[in-house]
């Protein structure tokens, strides 16, 4: 039983670290590198960033969400249906803090990937067709700013979740009963 829960925790952690690490990698390194090295070619830079962000914000993040939600569901089912009476360690003062944080992160990720990203692409396409239109540039900059702000919130929430999960894993390891 303990091994199963430990494995599920690792599965959950894998999804979480891939998600957070990807946000840092793309949000900091890739965007800065593309902006610096392709400063003279803004159309190429835009095309590269759009493709990278599409893959990350749809395929990779949704896969991470799947890993994490599947691990949480199986842990919940193990807790409810197990005869051993497994009770995972809780390090937060309020119940379901981890689940609420994860829920907020999922809602924000779905909003970014399914709603905000397509609108940004459409404005970016219109901006490329009409580069002199300042209103389109301002609109795109607002979308980009919103995207960056939501990314930042998700990074902070993800790091909080990682901290909570790390504390739970440390307490889980210290439990006196082993199977």
């Amino acid at each position: 039983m303990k091994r199963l829960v430990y494995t599920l925790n690792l599965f959950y952690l894998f999804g979480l670290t891939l998600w957070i690490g990807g946000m840092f990698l793309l949000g900091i390194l890739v965007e800065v590198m593309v902006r610096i090295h392709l400063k003279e070619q803004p159309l190429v830079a835009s095309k590269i960033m759009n493709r990278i962000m599409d893959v990350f914000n749809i395929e990779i993040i949704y896969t991470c969400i799947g890993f994490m939600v599947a691990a949480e569901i199986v842990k919940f089912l193990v807790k409810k249906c197990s005869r051993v009476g497994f009770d995972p360690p809780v390090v937060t003062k309020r119940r379901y803090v981890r689940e609420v944080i994860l829920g907020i992160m999922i809602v924000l990720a779905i909003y970014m990937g399914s709603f905000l990203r397509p609108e940004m692409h459409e404005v970016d396409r219109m901006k490329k067709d009409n580069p002199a239109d300042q209103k389109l540039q301002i609109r795109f900059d607002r979308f980009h700013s919103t995207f960056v702000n939501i990314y930042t919130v998700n990074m902070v929430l993800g790091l909080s979740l990682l901290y909570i999960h790390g504390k739970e894993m440390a307490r889980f390891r210290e439990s006196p009963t082993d199977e």
Side-chain angles (χ1 to χ4, degrees):
M1 174 67 67
K2 187 173 180 179
R3 284 189 180 144
L4 173 66
V5 174
Y6 188 74
T7 303
L8 290 171
N9 282 337
L10 291 178
F11 199 59
Y12 180 95
L13 249 167
F14 174 71
L16 181 61
T17 54
L18 184 62
W19 188 354
I20 295 170
M23 285 191 295
F24 276 108
L25 179 69
L26 293 178
I28 295 171
L29 295 177
V30 172
E31 187 167 352
V32 169
M33 295 302 287
V34 167
R35 283 183 187 223
I36 289 171
H37 291 291
L38 296 175
K39 189 185 315 183
E40 295 80 29
Q41 301 171 339
L43 295 177
V44 174
S46 175
K47 192 174 190 178
I48 289 171
M49 282 307 298
N50 285 341
R51 285 190 181 165
I52 291 171
M53 295 304 279
D54 285 348
V55 168
F56 182 73
N57 285 318
I58 297 298
E59 296 168 20
I60 295 175
I61 287 181
Y62 289 1
T63 301
C64 292
I65 290 170
F67 286 159
M68 296 169 70
V69 169
E72 285 295 308
I73 289 171
V74 172
K75 280 195 302 188
F76 175 78
L77 291 174
V78 165
K79 182 179 175 183
K80 290 294 181 190
C81 300
S82 175
R83 294 180 186 186
V84 176
F86 173 71
D87 192 26
V90 178
V91 296
T92 56
K93 292 181 181 181
R94 299 185 191 266
R95 293 183 70 187
Y96 305 115
V97 170
R98 280 182 349 140
E99 292 81 2
V100 169
I101 292 173
L102 179 59
I104 292 170
M105 286 179 67
I106 290 170
V107 167
L108 291 175
I110 290 171
Y111 173 70
M112 284 189 309
S114 298
F115 300 102
L116 189 60
R117 183 192 52 81
E119 289 181 37
M120 272 183 73
H121 284 327
E122 182 61 27
V123 172
D124 192 37
R125 186 192 56 75
M126 291 187 316
K127 184 179 74 164
K128 289 174 188 170
D129 293 342
N130 191 3
D133 191 350
Q134 288 293 15
K135 288 183 180 180
L136 289 175
Q137 182 63 44
I138 291 169
R139 193 168 163 208
F140 180 81
D141 289 343
R142 285 186 182 147
F143 277 127
H144 186 265
S145 177
T146 302
F147 209 83
V148 167
N149 290 337
I150 292 173
Y151 243 61
T152 303
V153 168
N154 254 2
M155 278 191 227
V156 170
L157 290 174
L159 289 172
S160 301
L161 206 52
L162 194 60
Y163 175 75
I164 291 168
H165 193 74
K167 282 182 73 175
E168 287 177 354
M169 291 286 286
R171 291 212 178 140
F172 184 72
R173 240 173 119 180
E174 295 171 2
S175 73
T177 58
D178 285 312
E179 285 186 18

